[in-house]
Amino acid sequence: MNFQAAQARIKELTDLVNHHNDLYYNKSKSTISDFEFDQLLKDLIEIENQFPELKSPDSPTQRVGGTITKEFENVTHQYPMLSLGNTYSKEELEDFNGRVAKGLEGEAYEYFCELKFDGVSISLIYENGLLVKGITRGDGVRGDNVIANVKTIRSLPLRITSEQTPIFFEVRGEVFLSKEIFKQLNKEQEEDGEEAYANARNTASGTLKMQDSSEVAKRKLDCYLYYLLGENLSVQTHEEAIHKIESWGFQVSPTYKKCTTIAEVIKYISYWEKERTNLPLETDGVVIKVNNLDQQKRLGTTAKVPRWAISYKYKAESISTKLNGITYQVGRTGAVTPVAELEPVLLAGTTVKRASLHNANEIARLGLHIGDSVFVEKGGEIIPKVTGVDLLQRDPNSVSVSYISNCPECGTELVRKEGEANHYCPNERGCPPQIKGKVEHFIQRKAMDIDSLGEQTIKQLFDLRLVKTPADLYDLKKEDLLKLDKIKEKSAQNMLAGIEASKSVPFESVLFAIGIRFVGKTVAEKLAHYFKSMDQLAAASYEQLLNAPEVGEKIAASVVQYFSEDRNVEEVSRLKSAGLQMETSQQEPTQLSSKLAEKSFVVSGIFENYERDQLKEIILANGGRILSAVSGKLDYLLAGENSGASKLEKAEKLGIKVITIQEFESLLN
Ligand code: IVH
């Protein structure tokens, strides 16, 4: 493809992707499948990689990330980001109203009420219609520019096409993870054997500060806007400003309401107190703003908060109940979670009987005694939590809780690894919930997809000592299955057919199914793609693993550890004999050219416009080879920012050519 053709195709693809994005996010419609959409994006990425000079800052490919930012630029806010005064009662709200009335000296005024979204505030700077900065609140005066991460938020316009936008303006809003996405994220954490995130707000905040924007893109952050700033915006009220940003394509929560009296404000507050549970994101209160901008200006601000706005915070519903005892759950990975068993109590519409206590530190922090009267709260967290003890009610004869030292399921002594908060049961192959958990993990849809088996069947197969590891499933005979409760000929046949069908499940699913710690579905896909077969993966060294995309020290160490254990090697070999897919059937990446034929590369460091994996793919697609370490055989060390000092030294010593990204690009063109 020549330059001109590329330019035309980029324009065409960009328009198409933007069109479908707009349909999906702003009009809740989709006229193509996710696959077709991804394909368009992929085509666009490919051409942009070939012609990096044609990549525009508002290209929809920015949504999938790829930029790595080691250190965010710290910038001063054009207008300081103030916080809001809080109120917790009708009386405090009346006081606020009194101050506003007094400040406006008897003039009529209106309020604009919005919900207080429980996320992370962000300031977005647009210049000439183009999104150029996304700044965190920081200390209110200066914040971090996390623009690459902000661009992954699909509902945010990267460019405003409306003709009436000012040359410069700023919009502020709240970045959040919706309840649904957060739940999904935690489900994945659990499936990967990782600890669940405690709440959506902190997770959104952590996500916004991640260095790798392609990881951020996967988290699916979202954003509601609620504030427009700038000069000569030709709006007289906050309401007009909100309608304006809506018309420019920004996402505004439709929950706002203009109120003329404080009684109406209070009605709004009461309405949303219950109704907010049905919203897609967490909210923790209401923000009440004086609607007229001129009045806002006259009321002014104190050093920290505006005098023209205030928040009303909903009380996190809290209740006290009796702690009947503590039980301990053992998960698939052996992690032990203490659970508070409570006297059932009604809280925020549901009966609460249990609450997570997280780990031993949390129990110690709370200083729990069995029989204590404890406070239970349901805030942003999904699972209710114990927030404190009512010491006045404590029975002086009660005993304090001491953490168990042995596994409640198999009696093995628990271990606690340095730096980890959780206790673990190390008896991986003999501890019933771990054994059953591993088989359940193996058969799940994302793994071997054997839906003719379920939790109950696995339990019975385990109780009858027919299945102790996933490989045992492939030795099952019809007679074995007929021993199960209520299982007749037909269901037995169904089960066997399901097990048989799993033999054609692709290698990456098999790799995920065997349950190597920290190897979730995405990592399994990357590993399968990179190493091509189980044998090559098993033979890979720690360093070679680190070279694979998405693999960091934790995952590399875990893979090495897995294949160093004989019982795992034996299990994998039994699965192989059973006929499972142990190699990838994926096509080699399409060959773009042979410009780098016979040339070998090591890629090191961070690159402004490329992800390291992306560079490796470009090298392979142009006929080059990737080596894992600098040696005499190497042709080029492609060095970005912060590339390893030892690699550079070694290259120099061996007389290996060290090239910059610009030099690399000129090799290709
Ligand atoms: S307006 C000067 N509106 O609450 C007023 N803030 O406690 C600027 N927040 O930092 C804020 N929802 O992150 C406003 N509808 C809303 C909001 C909202 C959530 C957050 C925002 C701010 C914090 C202040």
Side-chain angles (χ1 to χ4, degrees):
M1 195 182 297
N2 66 24
F3 189 85
Q4 250 146 16
Q7 208 164 20
R9 181 76 181 135
I10 283 181
K11 163 127 192 15
E12 188 183 5
L13 286 168
T14 302
D15 289 348
L16 261 174
V17 171
N18 283 342
H19 168 70
H20 289 295
N21 226 4
D22 178 57
L23 274 187
Y24 187 84
Y25 284 98
N26 301 325
K27 309 200 170 71
S28 302
K29 258 201 331 221
S30 55
T31 51
I32 56 171
S33 67
D34 287 358
F35 176 78
E36 287 167 311
F37 183 83
D38 288 344
Q39 207 53 44
L40 292 176
L41 256 186
K42 232 168 146 176
D43 289 354
L44 186 53
I45 293 173
E46 204 168 302
I47 308 176
E48 283 182 348
N49 282 342
Q50 277 181 55
F51 298 89
E53 61 275 35
L54 288 176
K55 195 160 168 177
S56 126
D58 65 330
S59 166
T61 58
Q62 303 273 323
R63 308 275 199 202
V64 291
T67 319
I68 294 182
T69 321
K70 270 279 153 179
E71 210 169 311
F72 298 112
E73 175 198 14
N74 197 249
V75 289
T76 306
H77 291 293
Q78 171 118 4
Y79 309 93
M81 280 180 95
L82 302 177
S83 55
L84 287 167
N86 290 325
T87 58
Y88 298 90
S89 66
K90 239 161 120 180
E91 290 69 39
E92 285 177 287
L93 214 55
E94 303 272 13
D95 289 348
F96 164 74
N97 188 38
R99 292 195 298 275
V100 169
K102 196 167 161 220
L104 294 176
E105 298 168 340
E107 208 176 285
Y109 57 91
E110 291 170 331
Y111 287 118
F112 197 83
C113 295
E114 293 163 8
L115 283 170
K116 190 165 187 298
F117 310 111
D118 198 9
V120 195
S121 47
I122 194 82
S123 147
L124 307 170
I125 311 291
Y126 284 78
E127 276 170 24
N128 299 311
L130 201 65
L131 172 61
V132 289
K133 281 193 184 118
I135 315 167
T136 60
R137 178 168 187 278
D139 61 5
V141 177
R142 298 171 67 83
D144 286 336
N145 182 11
V146 290
I147 184 66
N149 294 343
V150 164
K151 282 183 177 176
T152 68
I153 302 173
R154 300 243 168 180
S155 61
L156 263 189
L158 299 179
R159 182 193 290 275
I160 314 292
T161 41
S162 158
E163 264 145 40
Q164 301 113 14
T165 51
I167 294 180
F168 171 93
F169 68 89
E170 177 177 342
V171 269
R172 289 186 185 166
E174 206 77 358
V175 172
F176 61 90
L177 281 165
S178 73
K179 291 177 189 166
E180 187 166 336
I181 297 284
F182 180 64
K183 212 160 104 189
Q184 179 68 28
L185 191 66
N186 262 347
K187 206 172 130 223
E188 283 164 22
Q189 283 291 103
E190 198 184 303
E191 283 169 7
D192 294 354
E194 299 273 5
E195 213 172 302
Y197 297 110
N199 67 56
R201 185 201 38 233
N202 291 355
T203 314
S205 167
T207 304
L208 209 51
K209 298 221 172 104
M210 287 168 93
Q211 294 182 344
D212 184 346
S213 59
S214 58
E215 285 304 310
V216 179
K218 287 185 206 145
R219 294 272 184 98
K220 301 201 172 81
L221 290 171
D222 207 341
C223 185
Y224 275 150
L225 288 310
Y226 48 64
Y227 200 7
L228 173 65
L229 294 125
E231 308 300 319
N232 308 321
L233 295 169
S234 56
V235 283
Q236 264 68 56
T237 62
H238 180 66
E239 183 184 25
E240 281 170 33
I242 290 295
H243 288 156
K244 189 154 243 177
I245 61 177
E246 265 183 313
S247 77
W248 288 344
F250 289 98
Q251 185 173 234
V252 173
S253 163
T255 50
Y256 56 74
K257 187 173 178 359
K258 194 165 72 179
C259 298
T260 32
T261 61
I262 205 75
E264 270 184 60
V265 171
I266 289 165
K267 221 166 114 191
Y268 177 89
I269 292 174
S270 326
Y271 174 78
W272 284 107
E273 173 140 36
K274 281 216 171 57
E275 207 48 44
R276 70 198 177 105
T277 52
N278 300 322
L279 292 173
L281 79 165
E282 300 287 350
T283 53
D284 59 349
V286 166
V287 183
I288 302 116
K289 303 173 180 177
V290 169
N291 193 24
N292 184 290
L293 300 183
D294 181 55
Q295 291 180 335
Q296 284 189 3
K297 209 162 158 188
R298 277 187 278 138
L299 286 164
T301 68
T302 71
K304 284 202 194 103
V305 299
R307 290 198 191 88
W308 49 266
I310 201 139
S311 85
Y312 174 90
K313 296 266 267 214
Y314 290 121
K315 279 187 214 66
E317 231 181 300
S318 166
I319 201 154
S320 76
T321 188
K322 191 174 152 210
L323 175 68
N324 287 332
I326 293 183
T327 53
Y328 297 85
Q329 282 178 347
V330 183
R332 163 172 77 87
T333 59
V336 177
T337 317
V339 177
E341 300 291 341
L342 306 165
E343 194 60 35
V345 63
L346 200 65
L347 177 64
T350 49
T351 304
V352 175
K353 296 186 209 125
R354 318 177 80 200
S356 169
L357 288 167
H358 304 293
N359 51 50
N361 296 345
E362 181 68 3
I363 294 180
R365 188 184 70 80
L366 291 163
L368 295 177
H369 283 207
I370 300 295
D372 268 349
S373 168
V374 293
F375 296 109
V376 185
E377 213 172 78
K378 230 186 305 174
E381 285 76 12
I382 293 168
I383 310 163
K385 64 177 178 188
V386 176
T387 53
V389 178
D390 187 352
L391 290 173
L392 295 173
Q393 310 267 343
R394 177 171 284 169
D395 175 351
N397 298 320
S398 66
V399 282
S400 81
V401 173
S402 53
Y403 206 81
I404 47 166
S405 51
N406 291 71
C407 177
E409 300 280 346
C410 71
T412 306
E413 196 176 333
L414 299 179
V415 292
R416 190 182 198 177
K417 287 192 202 120
E418 201 162 308
E420 288 200 22
N422 279 331
H423 283 76
Y424 282 88
C425 166
N427 184 17
E428 253 185 83
R429 294 294 164 107
C431 180
Q434 294 192 61
I435 299 173
K436 284 181 277 185
K438 285 188 174 76
V439 182
E440 280 159 19
H441 170 80
F442 185 83
I443 63 163
Q444 66 170 303
R445 196 176 46 81
K446 281 205 298 182
M448 304 307 287
D449 195 16
I450 313 180
D451 63 1
S452 53
L453 300 179
E455 207 175 306
Q456 276 314 309
T457 326
I458 303 288
K459 183 180 178 305
Q460 287 191 57
L461 288 168
F462 171 76
D463 290 343
L464 291 169
R465 299 182 191 284
L466 287 166
V467 171
K468 284 213 281 312
T469 78
D472 294 337
L473 291 173
Y474 297 91
D475 293 338
L476 287 174
K477 312 227 163 13
K478 198 163 29 169
E479 305 86 84
D480 298 329
L481 294 171
L482 289 171
K483 290 183 197 151
L484 304 181
D485 219 22
K486 294 197 205 108
I487 297 298
K488 302 252 155 49
E489 189 75 18
K490 186 133 194 273
S491 347
Q493 244 157 17
N494 254 343
M495 288 178 184
L496 289 176
I499 294 171
E500 187 60 30
S502 76
K503 292 180 183 171
S504 56
V505 156
F507 170 51
E508 64 249 34
S509 302
V510 177
L511 185 52
F512 169 62
I514 60 174
I516 304 175
R517 198 154 177 227
F518 307 127
V519 177
K521 185 76 197 216
T522 319
V523 174
E525 279 163 8
K526 302 266 167 169
L527 285 173
H529 185 70
Y530 190 81
F531 287 101
K532 307 276 188 280
S533 71
M534 192 71 91
D535 288 344
Q536 294 203 55
L537 176 67
S541 67
Y542 177 75
E543 287 72 25
Q544 283 167 331
L545 280 156
L546 281 182
N547 259 323
E550 307 249 350
V551 176
E553 289 173 6
K554 202 168 73 171
I555 298 173
S558 172
V559 173
V560 170
Q561 170 68 27
Y562 181 89
F563 288 107
S564 73
E565 291 181 32
D566 289 344
R567 56 185 182 192
N568 292 334
V569 174
E570 193 200 315
E571 170 80 4
V572 169
S573 133
R574 283 181 64 204
L575 292 172
K576 191 175 183 178
S577 311
L580 271 61
Q581 301 299 315
M582 294 290 166
E583 281 173 17
T584 162
S585 57
Q586 268 182 22
Q587 309 263 307
E588 289 298 314
T590 41
Q591 218 50 42
L592 294 175
S593 84
S594 50
K595 285 181 187 153
L596 307 179
E598 306 297 312
K599 298 284 181 252
S600 59
F601 292 81
V602 163
V603 184
S604 166
I606 293 152
F607 301 86
E608 203 181 341
N609 293 319
Y610 298 92
E611 231 187 319
R612 240 188 344 257
D613 299 339
Q614 205 184 347
L615 285 171
K616 290 180 183 174
E617 273 168 26
I618 296 176
I619 293 169
L620 293 173
N622 287 286
R625 283 181 303 131
I626 307 285
L627 299 187
S628 58
V630 177
S631 71
K633 290 181 284 184
L634 183 67
D635 293 304
Y636 298 106
L637 171 61
L638 172 52
E641 222 175 292
N642 290 345
S643 63
S646 64
K647 283 199 179 101
L648 288 171
E649 249 168 56
K650 199 159 174 198
E652 198 178 333
K653 214 155 90 197
L654 296 169
I656 307 261
K657 218 165 170 184
V658 181
I659 57 169
T660 63
I661 190 72
Q662 288 76 21
E663 289 169 306
F664 174 73
E665 283 171 353
S666 59
L667 280 182
L668 280 175
N669 291 323

Coordinates of all heavy atoms in Angstrom, one line a residue, residues 82-84 86 114-121 137 173-174 226-227 287 289 306 308-309, ligand 1:
L82 N -11.7 22.3 43.2 CA -12.1 22.4 44.6 C -12.9 21.1 45.0 O -13.3 20.3 44.2 CB -13.1 23.6 44.8 CG -12.5 24.9 44.4 CD1 -13.6 26.0 44.5 CD2 -11.3 25.3 45.2
S83 N -13.0 20.9 46.4 CA -13.9 19.8 46.8 C -15.2 20.5 47.2 O -15.4 21.7 47.0 CB -13.2 19.0 47.9 OG -12.9 19.8 48.9
L84 N -16.1 19.7 47.8 CA -17.4 20.2 48.2 C -17.6 20.1 49.7 O -17.1 19.1 50.3 CB -18.5 19.4 47.5 CG -18.7 19.6 46.0 CD1 -19.6 18.4 45.5 CD2 -19.3 20.9 45.7
N86 N -19.7 19.1 52.9 CA -20.7 18.0 53.0 C -21.8 18.3 54.0 O -21.5 19.0 55.0 CB -20.0 16.7 53.6 CG -19.0 16.1 52.6 OD1 -19.3 16.1 51.4 ND2 -17.9 15.6 53.0
E114 N -27.8 17.1 41.2 CA -27.2 15.9 40.5 C -26.9 14.9 41.6 O -26.7 15.2 42.7 CB -25.9 16.3 39.8 CG -26.1 17.3 38.7 CD -24.8 18.0 38.3 OE1 -23.8 17.6 38.7 OE2 -24.9 18.9 37.4
L115 N -26.7 13.7 41.1 CA -26.2 12.7 42.1 C -24.7 12.8 42.2 O -24.0 13.4 41.4 CB -26.5 11.3 41.5 CG -28.0 10.9 41.8 CD1 -28.4 9.7 41.1 CD2 -28.3 10.8 43.3
K116 N -24.2 12.4 43.4 CA -22.8 12.4 43.6 C -22.2 11.1 43.2 O -22.5 10.1 43.9 CB -22.5 12.8 45.1 CG -21.0 13.1 45.4 CD -20.9 13.8 46.7 CE -19.5 14.2 47.0 NZ -18.5 13.2 47.0
F117 N -21.5 11.0 42.1 CA -21.0 9.8 41.6 C -19.8 9.4 42.4 O -18.9 10.2 42.6 CB -20.7 9.9 40.1 CG -21.9 10.5 39.4 CD1 -21.8 11.8 38.8 CD2 -23.1 9.8 39.3 CE1 -22.9 12.4 38.2 CE2 -24.2 10.4 38.7 CZ -24.1 11.7 38.1
D118 N -19.7 8.1 42.7 CA -18.6 7.7 43.6 C -17.5 7.1 42.7 O -17.4 5.9 42.5 CB -19.1 6.6 44.5 CG -18.2 6.4 45.7 OD1 -17.2 7.2 45.8 OD2 -18.3 5.5 46.5
G119 N -16.7 8.0 42.1 CA -15.6 7.6 41.3 C -14.4 8.4 41.5 O -14.1 8.8 42.7
V120 N -13.7 8.8 40.5 CA -12.5 9.6 40.6 C -12.7 10.8 39.7 O -13.0 10.7 38.5 CB -11.3 8.8 40.0 CG1 -10.0 9.5 40.4 CG2 -11.3 7.4 40.4
S121 N -12.4 12.0 40.2 CA -12.7 13.2 39.4 C -11.6 13.4 38.3 O -10.4 13.0 38.6 CB -12.9 14.4 40.2 OG -11.9 14.5 41.2
R137 N -7.3 14.9 39.9 CA -7.4 16.0 40.8 C -6.1 16.4 41.5 O -5.8 17.5 41.7 CB -8.5 15.7 41.8 CG -8.7 16.7 42.8 CD -10.0 16.5 43.6 NE -10.2 17.6 44.5 CZ -9.6 17.9 45.6 NH1 -8.7 17.0 46.1 NH2 -9.9 18.9 46.3
G173 N -15.6 15.7 35.3 CA -16.6 14.7 35.5 C -15.9 13.6 36.4 O -14.9 13.8 37.0
E174 N -16.6 12.5 36.4 CA -16.2 11.4 37.3 C -15.9 10.2 36.5 O -16.8 9.7 35.7 CB -17.4 11.2 38.3 CG -17.0 10.6 39.6 CD -16.3 11.6 40.6 OE1 -16.2 12.8 40.2 OE2 -16.0 11.1 41.7
Y226 N -20.0 16.6 34.4 CA -21.0 17.4 35.2 C -20.5 18.9 35.3 O -21.1 19.6 36.1 CB -21.3 16.8 36.5 CG -20.0 16.4 37.3 CD1 -19.1 17.3 37.8 CD2 -19.8 15.1 37.7 CE1 -18.0 17.0 38.5 CE2 -18.7 14.7 38.4 CZ -17.8 15.6 38.8 OH -16.7 15.2 39.5
Y227 N -19.5 19.3 34.6 CA -19.0 20.7 34.8 C -18.3 21.2 33.6 O -17.4 20.5 33.1 CB -18.1 20.6 36.0 CG -17.8 21.9 36.7 CD1 -18.5 23.1 36.4 CD2 -16.8 21.9 37.7 CE1 -18.2 24.2 37.1 CE2 -16.5 23.1 38.4 CZ -17.2 24.3 38.1 OH -17.0 25.4 38.8
V287 N -25.4 16.3 44.8 CA -24.7 17.6 44.8 C -25.7 18.6 44.4 O -26.5 18.5 43.4 CB -23.5 17.6 43.7 CG1 -22.8 18.9 43.8 CG2 -22.6 16.4 44.0
K289 N -26.4 22.5 43.4 CA -25.6 23.6 42.8 C -26.6 24.8 42.5 O -27.7 24.6 42.0 CB -24.9 23.2 41.5 CG -24.0 22.0 41.6 CD -23.5 21.5 40.3 CE -22.6 20.3 40.5 NZ -22.0 19.7 39.3
P306 N -16.7 25.7 47.1 CA -17.5 26.8 46.6 C -18.6 27.1 47.6 O -19.0 26.2 48.3 CB -18.1 26.2 45.3 CG -18.0 24.7 45.4 CD -16.9 24.4 46.3
W308 N -21.4 28.1 46.4 CA -22.6 28.0 45.6 C -23.0 26.5 45.4 O -24.0 26.2 44.7 CB -22.4 28.7 44.2 CG -21.1 28.3 43.5 CD1 -20.0 29.0 43.6 CD2 -20.9 27.1 42.7 NE1 -19.0 28.3 42.8 CE2 -19.6 27.2 42.3 CE3 -21.7 26.0 42.3 CZ2 -19.0 26.2 41.5 CZ3 -21.1 25.1 41.5 CH2 -19.8 25.2 41.1
A309 N -22.3 25.6 46.0 CA -22.7 24.2 45.9 C -22.3 23.5 47.2 O -21.5 23.9 48.0 CB -21.9 23.6 44.7
Ligands
IVH1 S1 -19.2 19.3 41.1 C1 -16.8 22.9 42.7 N1 -20.8 17.3 40.7 O1 -17.3 15.0 44.4 C2 -17.7 21.7 42.5 N2 -18.8 16.9 41.8 O2 -16.5 16.2 47.0 C3 -17.0 20.7 41.7 N3 -18.5 14.5 42.4 O3 -14.2 16.2 43.5 C4 -17.6 19.4 41.8 N4 -20.4 13.8 41.5 O4 -15.1 14.3 42.2 C5 -19.7 17.7 41.2 N5 -22.3 15.6 40.2 C6 -21.2 16.0 40.7 C7 -20.3 15.1 41.3 C8 -19.1 15.6 41.9 C9 -19.2 13.4 42.2 C10 -17.2 14.5 43.2 C11 -16.1 15.2 42.5 C12 -15.6 16.2 43.5 C13 -16.1 15.6 44.8 C14 -16.2 16.7 45.8

